[in-house]
């Protein structure tokens, strides 16, 4: 999406509200994020903006964290026969994202004032 948050914050809960199985909703959102992240990575490589050390580090960390999380959630779901961890994870992402945006806005307002926060600015802070 335009801001890179549609897969986890918008589409996941939307699919759950539509009655789609939690595992299917989670896998679909993850697939969408895979394509979005891949295209962003290709853009960074194409324009020479990728810092290869950081890219490799975060690729490995992301891969390991995804694998560990998948194994843990799958084991929990098999033991308990519940899909609630997936629903809880999607809901947690929404709440955590909202809290981070609120905190960032408060910090920015303390530094530059609420008038600055509430006015329109260019993309990526180019006119700050």
């Amino acid at each position: 999406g335009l801001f890179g948050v549609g897969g986890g914050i918008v589409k996941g809960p939307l699919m759950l509200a539509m009655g789609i199985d939690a595992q299917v909703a989670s896998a679909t959102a993850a697939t969408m994020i895979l394509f979005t992240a891949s295209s962003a990575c290709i853009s960074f490589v194409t324009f020479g903006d990728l810092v290869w050390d950081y890219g490799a580090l975060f690729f490995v960390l992301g891969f390991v964290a995804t694998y560990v999380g998948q194994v843990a959630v799958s084991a929990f779901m098999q033991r308990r026969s519940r899909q609630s961890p997936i629903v809880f994870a999607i809901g947690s992402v929404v709440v955590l994202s909202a809290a981070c945006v609120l905190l960032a806005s408060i910090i920015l307002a303390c530094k530059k004032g609420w008038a600055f926060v509430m006015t329109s600015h260019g993309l990526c802070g180019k006119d700050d």
Side-chain angles (χ1 to χ4, degrees):
L2 180 63
F3 300 107
V5 296
I9 295 177
V10 176
K11 295 174 189 158
L14 179 63
M15 287 187 279
L16 290 175
M18 292 170 48
I20 295 175
D21 185 56
Q23 288 178 307
V24 174
S26 178
T28 303
T31 302
M32 292 175 190
I33 292 169
L34 171 70
F35 287 111
T36 303
S38 297
S39 64
C41 183
I42 290 169
S43 296
F44 273 83
V45 169
T46 301
F47 293 113
D49 292 334
L50 180 66
V51 179
W52 289 97
D53 296 344
Y54 289 131
L57 173 69
F58 286 115
F59 173 79
V60 171
L61 285 175
F63 189 83
V64 170
T66 300
Y67 179 77
V68 169
Q70 181 64 44
V71 168
V73 169
S74 294
F76 179 85
M77 288 175 49
Q78 285 179 351
R79 260 195 330 268
R80 305 280 171 108
S81 298
R82 302 185 76 181
Q83 294 185 0
S84 56
I86 296 173
V87 176
F88 180 73
I90 292 172
S92 298
V93 167
V94 171
V95 170
L96 183 62
S97 298
C100 287
V101 168
L102 176 64
L103 180 63
S105 297
I106 291 171
I107 290 171
L108 186 61
C110 289
K111 289 181 180 178
K112 297 193 175 191
W114 281 108
F116 179 81
V117 173
M118 300 306 287
T119 57
S120 176
H121 300 282
L123 294 175
C124 301
K126 290 185 179 182
D127 63 345
D128 288 346

